[in-house]
Amino acid sequence: MIRPDQLGARIADSRRGRGLTQAELADRMGVTPQAVSKWERGLACPDLVFLDELSALLCVSIDWLLTGRRQA
């Protein structure tokens, strides 16, 4: 089961690790900074169509974003 609060924490940690602000991530994804903020606070989840681009920008797998599981 996907927990929005944990997904948000993984997005925030990965974004910070890449040295991006919420505004920079939002700009690269074509969404508002408010959307990124809601994702990171667990108030909303990114739409399915954004997962591939989000994982690429953050240099993490979609599986890790959604579940926290690392690939072996």
Side-chain angles (χ1 to χ4, degrees), residues 4-49:
D5 59 326
Q6 292 177 349
L7 170 60
R10 286 189 287 274
I11 292 171
D13 289 344
S14 298
R15 175 185 58 77
R16 288 184 199 110
R18 302 291 300 156
L20 296 170
T21 65
Q22 287 181 341
E24 289 169 331
L25 180 60
D27 185 57
R28 292 182 187 192
M29 296 207 49
V31 300
T32 65
Q34 292 84 357
V36 173
S37 175
K38 285 183 179 182
W39 299 344
E40 291 185 358
R41 291 182 290 141
L43 301 177
C45 292
D47 288 341
L48 188 60
V49 296

Side-chain angles (χ1 to χ4, degrees), residues 2 7 10 48-56 59-69 71:
I2 298 168
L7 170 60
R10 286 189 287 274
L48 188 60
V49 296
F50 291 120
L51 289 180
D52 188 48
E53 184 177 6
L54 182 60
S55 70
C59 298
V60 297
S61 71
I62 293 172
D63 186 50
W64 182 80
L65 275 177
L66 296 178
T67 67
R69 289 189 302 252
Q71 293 179 337

